[in-house]
Amino acid sequence: MAAAVSTLAVVASGLVSAAVIGVGPALADHCDPAKASQEQQQGQRQNRNQNQDQGQQDQDQQGQDQNQQQQDPNQNQDQNGQNQNQNNQDQNGQDQNNQQQNNQQNGQQQDQNGDQQQNADQQGQGGGAAVLDPAQNPDEQNAETFGRRNRPTRSPDQGNNNGNNGNNGNNGNNGNNGNGTASPSPSPTASNDDDHNECADLGPFVEDFVNIRQIAPRQLDARIGRGGSRGTFVSQCGTNQNRHNNPDNFIVAPGVSNGAHHLHDYVGNLSTDGFSTDESLAAAGTTCRQGDKSTYFWPVLRDRKVDVNTEDADGNVGQVLRARNVTLQFRGNATSQVVAMPRFLRLITGDAKAATNGTANARAGWSCTGFQNRISPDKYPLCPRGSQVVRILDFPSCWDGQNTDSANHRTHVVFPGQGGACPQGTKAVPALRMTLTYNVPQGPSFAVDSFPEQKHNPVTDHADFANVMPDRLMQFVVSCINRGRRC
């Protein structure tokens, strides 16, 4: 079994990790969130059983205490359960044994002495029933379960301070005020278990998934006004059938190999890597039609049920899922016409470190085919059978009119306001929307590649684009959009 994840040293600022050390290999099926969910549910059932068992013991003891207290005042109570003759026996001073009734007149003093001895014996029992032995309770014996290696693993209530069944010392494990019920935590802490799952800290976690039907419908786009531009243009570039992948990012980490610390899918320009320049991109071939040499790329999605890439130093394990469909659509603006993008304009959308940076720049959009009015910005969707997972990645489209890039790769092109209009001093350019669809395994068993410290959180989804269209093609795109055509 691969070693546990030991240390992640990653610079959290910006989009690029400076160093990653000490991440051991891990098996993908251990990193399947569906299995984590099953183990969590098993732990919750064990917690409930333990709490119910303890509560039943308390009730039994309380009931026996009450019965004993009722027995103490009745010195002549029949210990063999002969309750029907009890009142007559008490009134006549008879002994509890019916066979001695003929000796009443001669044996009254013996009866009284026997009654006194009986009362003393009852008081010596402490006024209550004996507490049940937990070792005799089969539910208590099942509190320790076995992991996938048949090694004992603790339930969420075990191993807490003072052994209080999760009632007092469990805050550090569940974050649930010590009530003994396991609840998901966005930042799970490591278990003390010797057989600790080496993928427990890699993510994603069961709380990172949501049933698509639980997401409220919403309108994705601003309503297009009278002066808006309604047309669209789609650049057809395939789905990366040629398997152009690398963990580089020449926009945010130029000249660096593995600058992204996660694998990218590329369509369009055939030469894109960490060392790409305007000149190298212009000289390369493309997978796109009409001579579009632009580069479009995004982090891959993986099937976490499959043991592939298990030696990855950044914890991106599992089988890469190639998108079944890739739509690269350029759209208009809700309030104005669009102008041409300058050649070699560089754009990013989303924040690859949104899980730690916060969501100010996050632009993830997760949905399912047939439910595309339901879009989650921070949860992986659980789609019904026959429905595919959808990633929607919208790019900024309000250009400052001067620069093809900026220091943070964001301020030269920003997003329109809530009503769809570009801020003053900017010009609307064609707005790129990437729509990617995938067949994924059923259940919470897939994840997007990410920086190690982001734990494959769905909010970190992001994408990159550099415009390398010939000027004539860009003019055609602008014409289609401004004239309301679909090209």
Side-chain angles (χ1 to χ4, degrees):
M1 178 58 59
V5 175
S6 59
T7 306
L8 297 177
V10 183
V11 176
S13 60
L15 293 174
V16 183
S17 294
V20 179
I21 57 175
V23 182
L27 294 180
D29 65 347
H30 280 263
C31 304
D32 178 5
K35 288 191 175 182
S37 175
Q38 294 172 0
E39 292 172 357
Q40 183 183 58
Q41 291 174 0
Q42 183 181 17
Q44 290 174 342
R45 287 194 296 269
Q46 292 169 356
N47 290 343
R48 288 194 294 269
N49 289 339
Q50 288 175 345
N51 291 336
Q52 290 173 358
D53 293 341
Q54 185 64 40
Q56 185 63 44
Q57 291 177 10
D58 293 342
Q59 291 176 0
D60 292 344
Q61 180 175 350
Q62 181 179 2
Q64 293 180 10
D65 288 343
Q66 292 174 351
N67 291 337
Q68 187 66 47
Q69 291 172 1
Q70 292 174 359
Q71 290 175 0
D72 289 341
N74 300 323
Q75 297 179 354
N76 295 321
Q77 183 178 358
D78 187 359
Q79 293 181 351
N80 294 321
Q82 298 175 351
N83 294 327
Q84 295 179 354
N85 296 325
Q86 178 178 346
N87 291 335
N88 293 333
Q89 293 170 352
D90 291 341
Q91 293 174 1
N92 297 324
Q94 293 177 343
D95 187 74
Q96 294 178 358
N97 188 347
N98 291 331
Q99 295 179 355
Q100 298 179 0
Q101 291 179 356
N102 294 330
N103 298 324
Q104 290 178 2
Q105 295 178 353
N106 297 326
Q108 289 180 354
Q109 185 63 39
Q110 294 177 354
D111 291 339
Q112 291 175 358
N113 293 338
D115 292 339
Q116 293 174 357
Q117 182 64 38
Q118 176 185 351
N119 187 34
D121 291 341
Q122 291 176 347
Q123 290 178 353
Q125 294 176 4
V131 178
L132 294 178
D133 182 3
Q136 298 176 356
N137 190 331
D139 290 336
E140 290 290 334
Q141 290 177 345
N142 290 336
E144 185 177 80
T145 58
F146 291 86
R148 56 179 61 88
R149 281 181 159 186
N150 289 328
R151 293 180 181 178
T153 59
R154 293 187 179 93
S155 69
D157 278 347
Q158 291 178 313
N160 296 326
N161 293 337
N162 301 326
N164 287 332
N165 292 321
N167 292 326
N168 295 319
N170 203 28
N171 293 354
N173 289 336
N174 295 338
N176 202 32
N177 297 324
N179 62 5
T181 302
S183 62
S185 171
S187 299
T189 57
S191 168
N192 292 328
D193 205 336
D194 293 337
D195 195 32
H196 175 55
N197 184 349
E198 56 264 30
C199 290
D201 292 330
L202 287 184
F205 308 101
V206 67
E207 62 268 25
D208 292 325
F209 295 80
V210 64
N211 188 315
I212 188 64
R213 292 186 175 92
Q214 296 178 354
I215 301 173
R218 66 182 176 94
Q219 184 175 342
L220 182 61
D221 301 312
R223 188 180 301 275
I224 299 177
R226 179 175 298 179
S229 41
R230 300 175 178 270
T232 60
F233 172 86
V234 174
S235 187
Q236 299 181 20
C237 302
T239 59
N240 194 23
Q241 296 95 324
N242 59 322
R243 302 188 184 280
H244 181 185
N245 300 103
N246 61 55
D248 302 347
N249 191 322
F250 75 95
I251 296 178
V252 300
V256 178
S257 295
N258 194 34
H261 292 283
H262 52 262
L263 198 66
H264 285 128
D265 263 329
Y266 292 87
V267 298
N269 199 285
L270 291 171
S271 68
T272 314
D273 60 19
F275 302 90
S276 292
T277 63
D278 293 348
E279 293 74 20
S280 68
L281 294 172
T286 182
T287 66
C288 301
R289 296 183 182 180
Q290 299 181 296
D292 180 9
K293 294 187 177 184
S294 301
T295 180
Y296 307 81
F297 57 103
W298 54 85
V300 300
L301 204 64
R302 292 185 188 267
D303 178 353
R304 300 298 286 273
K305 288 178 174 288
V306 181
D307 287 333
V308 175
N309 206 41
T310 56
E311 300 297 325
D312 183 66
D314 298 311
N316 291 303
V317 300
Q319 178 66 55
V320 171
L321 295 168
R322 196 177 77 198
R324 305 296 293 177
N325 185 67
V326 174
T327 302
L328 307 172
Q329 185 184 59
F330 293 87
R331 304 156 62 86
N333 182 271
T335 64
S336 70
Q337 302 282 287
V338 299
V339 302
M341 288 181 178
R343 201 168 190 221
F344 305 118
L345 179 70
R346 300 179 179 190
L347 301 177
I348 64 175
T349 186
D351 185 355
K353 292 193 174 183
T356 55
N357 287 346
T359 59
N361 292 315
R363 286 281 171 171
W366 296 92
S367 187
C368 301
T369 55
F371 299 86
Q372 285 170 259
N373 63 335
R374 301 172 184 264
I375 301 171
S376 173
D378 56 4
K379 303 285 185 184
Y380 293 116
L382 297 176
C383 305
R385 292 188 182 275
S387 176
Q388 295 178 321
V389 165
V390 179
R391 297 165 72 181
I392 301 173
L393 295 158
D394 282 324
F395 282 75
S397 58
C398 299
W399 176 45
D400 66 7
Q402 297 180 358
N403 301 294
T404 58
D405 202 357
S406 53
N408 64 357
H409 315 293
R410 299 184 189 277
T411 55
H412 65 299
V413 184
V414 298
F415 283 92
Q418 187 173 4
C422 282
Q424 187 175 3
T426 63
K427 303 176 182 181
V429 296
L432 173 59
R433 171 175 291 172
M434 295 181 178
T435 305
L436 318 173
T437 62
Y438 296 84
N439 287 331
V440 302
Q442 283 292 309
S445 301
F446 61 95
V448 68
D449 266 20
S450 71
F451 288 104
E453 77 278 7
Q454 303 304 307
K455 301 184 184 298
H456 305 281
N457 194 309
V459 77
T460 65
D461 202 11
H462 61 282
D464 301 75
F465 165 75
N467 172 40
V468 198
M469 287 185 185
D471 291 340
R472 184 174 62 179
L473 178 58
M474 177 55 67
Q475 289 299 331
F476 177 74
V477 173
V478 169
S479 176
C480 286
I481 292 174
N482 287 338
R483 293 183 181 184
R485 297 171 57 193
R486 294 184 177 180
C487 303

